[in-house]
Amino acid sequence: MVLSRFWLAIFISSIAFVVVSLFTGNSYTIDFILNGKKDDPILISEKYLHQMPVFIKDSIKKAPDETMVINRDTLNPDTTYVYKSKTVKIYTGKQKSDGLLPTCKNSLLDLIIPLIAYLAFFCGLMQLLIDSGAAEKLAKKLSPVFTKIFPSVPKNHESISYMTLNFAANFLGLDSAATPFGLKAMESLQEINPDKDRASDAQIMFLCLHAAGLTLIPTSIIGYRAAENASNPADVMLPCIITSFIGTIAAFLIVGIRQKVNFKSASLLVGLMSIIAAIVGLLFYINRLDLIGKNFFTSNLSGLMLVVIIAFTLIFSFIHEKKFIDKNTTIFDAFVSGANNGLQTGVKIFPYVLGMLVAISFFRNSGLFEIISDGISFVFSHIGVSKQITDSLPVAMLRPFSSGGSRGFMIDSMKMYGVDSFTARLSCIFQCSAETTFYVIAVYFGSIKVKNTRYTLSTMLLVDFICVLAAILVASWFF
């Protein structure tokens, strides 16, 4: 309910801004908002040739293809004049996100269809884990800790296995595996939710911990830095881990206090200290490696763990084939059944994802986001915040809305300020240490048709803010 009102407010404010801009002569066109494609030149106006300044008219006529580019300066985009059919089209800059219609198309082709494929495959594997009894054994092992964090979840409940696999996949950077595990966890928690339209305490705790995004191997960040020829692509790895860990602890404490979790529980303290010890141990090991060793470790561990999970699932299923026979099924049929459930889940969440992405597209292409971003940067710069920090703030601001959009700003900061600059490194930490909050809420709650998300959104945004502050402090400490 809260999320629906938020997106309605985004739509109305963006539409109002577009209408005002059109009638006040600002550089916005309907075609730009509806049909424009990301990174295409922006058409800001179209005029007759006689309306142009004399030097531009003369230059256009002398140009061999009747096209002229004016270089304004090194930081601002070029302005291009194209003469055709007695009119001159004026382009400047690059569009930062797709228009509404390309967004609808890309949401299906580039997001939903691949997501459905991932869901089908990993839900098939999860069905094998359930039918073979592996999920039940995993739940029994972790029940002492999870019952303290999720007191409303029954002991040995199957959702514990799903949540464990989701956290492990996020921890290792396996995004494609984390989403199916997380969706199955939400579906499983929904079965014990007494109010089907209202998010339960367990669902809120799980989603906030998931969105905090504790990550050991920021593979994609290292890859982007390597592509831009950074002197040490992996130098942001430790800051990313520390920042995401702070965000995870903050999410647990904020939600735990609200849900009155018993923080003095011995099993909970042992589990938390074990995780901290494991992270510290891995950090010490990684920190001892040279650049080649770090790159090799980070690029191979995630893939290796994924192969191990798949191999374990298949081997365990074959060893316990009798359990499939007792359930009047086979290993293959169980996989197909799980894959079919994954496909249905993907189809179910499509409308929620589409609505969220279209709202973001409208918000960005209307120019309203840019004005708000510039305003915040202006305020920060006048209260003593370094320009190096304010230049990286667009990544932090856009991260809760759009992973792709914030990634674009991150790459742009590398190109504009230098890949080894403080601004570029801080942008990378912002990108790694938070989750696309609105996307996660839309997908996860949309899959189980929960309308009232209660305090999930406010908590996740607060955690995002804490991650931003932590990222600035950690980056200042390291760089």
Side-chain angles (χ1 to χ4, degrees):
M1 187 180 298
V2 174
L3 197 61
S4 299
R5 289 175 179 172
F6 175 84
W7 288 122
L8 181 61
I10 289 290
F11 265 122
I12 293 174
S13 58
S14 299
I15 291 172
F17 187 77
V18 169
V19 172
V20 171
S21 298
L22 288 172
F23 282 97
T24 54
N26 289 349
S27 56
Y28 299 96
T29 66
I30 292 298
D31 183 72
F32 160 71
I33 292 169
L34 293 179
N35 301 304
K37 297 248 183 111
K38 187 177 183 297
D39 294 330
D40 278 355
I42 301 172
L43 176 64
I44 60 171
S45 66
E46 189 170 3
K47 297 181 179 181
Y48 290 108
L49 184 60
H50 70 267
Q51 295 177 307
M52 305 302 298
V54 175
F55 80 97
I56 292 179
K57 286 193 293 185
D58 293 341
S59 300
I60 288 175
K61 289 178 179 178
K62 292 176 183 177
D65 56 354
E66 297 187 327
T67 299
M68 184 180 69
V69 178
I70 293 182
N71 296 312
R72 295 166 65 185
D73 56 58
T74 56
L75 295 180
N76 291 317
D78 297 339
T79 300
T80 303
Y81 298 85
V82 178
Y83 176 62
K84 188 177 181 181
S85 302
K86 298 182 181 180
T87 61
V88 179
K89 292 184 177 180
I90 305 173
Y91 299 87
T92 186
K94 290 183 178 180
Q95 184 155 329
K96 294 178 181 177
S97 67
D98 288 331
L100 298 188
L101 299 182
T103 295
C104 294
K105 175 185 174 183
N106 295 337
S107 297
L108 176 63
L109 299 180
D110 299 336
L111 182 63
I112 295 299
I113 291 179
L115 179 59
I116 288 176
Y118 292 141
L119 286 171
F121 177 72
F122 285 106
C123 286
L125 288 181
M126 282 187 284
Q127 193 63 44
L128 296 184
L129 289 172
I130 294 170
D131 290 348
S132 65
E136 184 180 354
K137 290 184 178 181
L138 181 62
K140 286 181 180 179
K141 293 285 186 183
L142 296 171
S143 278
V145 175
F146 273 75
T147 50
K148 304 299 181 182
I149 301 176
F150 305 94
S152 60
V153 176
K155 205 170 184 179
N156 302 330
H157 193 261
E158 65 178 6
S159 61
I160 295 175
S161 303
Y162 295 141
M163 288 189 285
T164 302
L165 291 170
N166 173 267
F167 294 145
N170 269 333
F171 188 67
L172 295 167
L174 303 174
D175 295 337
S176 58
T179 300
F181 293 146
L183 291 173
K184 290 299 292 184
M186 291 294 281
E187 290 177 9
S188 185
L189 291 171
Q190 183 69 352
E191 293 174 3
I192 57 175
N193 183 7
D195 188 348
K196 302 301 182 185
D197 290 333
R198 189 170 180 263
S200 66
D201 286 350
Q203 288 171 332
I204 294 173
M205 174 66 84
F206 165 67
L207 205 58
C208 289
L209 290 177
H210 163 79
L214 178 57
T215 304
L216 174 67
I217 307 170
T219 309
S220 61
I221 300 296
I222 295 172
Y224 288 124
R225 285 181 52 75
E228 295 295 329
N229 300 315
S231 58
N232 182 359
D235 62 5
V236 297
M237 185 172 178
L238 193 57
C240 285
I241 296 171
I242 294 173
T243 306
S244 64
F245 183 70
I246 292 172
T248 302
I249 296 299
F252 175 60
L253 292 176
I254 293 169
V255 180
I257 291 171
R258 187 146 189 174
Q259 296 183 1
K260 298 180 180 178
V261 171
N262 181 16
F263 293 106
K264 297 180 181 179
S265 168
S267 58
L268 182 59
L269 288 175
V270 169
L272 187 61
M273 294 306 296
S274 299
I275 293 173
I276 294 174
I279 292 174
V280 171
L282 285 168
L283 288 178
F284 272 112
Y285 171 74
I286 294 170
N287 203 43
R288 290 170 52 194
L289 300 175
D290 57 20
L291 174 59
I292 296 175
K294 285 179 181 179
N295 289 338
F296 179 82
F297 182 84
T298 55
S299 63
N300 286 285
L301 182 59
S302 294
L304 177 63
M305 290 303 300
L306 182 57
V307 172
V308 168
I309 291 172
I310 295 171
F312 170 81
T313 303
L314 295 175
I315 293 170
F316 194 91
S317 298
F318 277 110
I319 293 174
H320 297 84
E321 190 173 6
K322 189 175 181 299
K323 291 194 174 184
F324 291 90
I325 297 173
D326 293 340
K327 295 179 180 179
N328 197 29
T329 186
T330 65
I331 294 175
F332 181 76
D333 288 339
F335 178 86
V336 171
S337 175
N340 184 51
N341 290 334
L343 187 148
Q344 293 177 12
T345 300
V347 173
K348 190 187 302 181
I349 66 177
F350 174 54
Y352 298 91
V353 176
L354 179 64
M356 180 269 302
L357 292 177
V358 168
I360 290 174
S361 173
F362 208 110
F363 183 46
R364 283 181 52 75
N365 287 328
S366 68
L368 188 56
F369 174 83
E370 192 170 354
I371 289 177
I372 294 174
S373 175
D374 291 343
I376 292 177
S377 296
F378 177 81
V379 171
F380 272 89
S381 64
H382 281 73
I383 58 176
V385 178
S386 167
K387 187 177 186 301
Q388 291 179 312
I389 294 176
T390 59
D391 287 338
S392 63
L393 284 179
V395 178
M397 290 179 57
L398 196 60
R399 188 67 175 101
F401 296 93
S402 168
S403 176
S406 59
R407 188 186 304 115
F409 274 117
M410 178 190 72
I411 295 172
D412 185 64
S413 70
M414 293 183 194
K415 295 180 182 295
M416 181 172 290
Y417 303 105
V419 66
D420 290 322
S421 66
F422 180 84
T423 297
R425 284 169 166 156
L426 180 56
S427 297
C428 290
I429 300 172
F430 282 150
Q431 178 72 11
C432 179
S433 60
E435 184 57 272
T436 46
T437 298
F438 294 97
Y439 170 81
V440 167
I441 292 178
V443 169
Y444 280 68
F445 281 125
S447 68
I448 53 176
K449 298 182 179 179
V450 166
K451 298 177 182 177
N452 185 358
T453 61
R454 297 169 66 195
Y455 51 87
T456 309
L457 178 60
S458 58
T459 301
M460 289 172 67
L461 289 176
L462 177 58
V463 172
D464 287 338
F465 179 70
I466 291 172
C467 285
V468 168
L469 296 180
I472 294 172
L473 293 175
V474 171
S476 301
W477 179 33
F478 272 83
F479 307 116

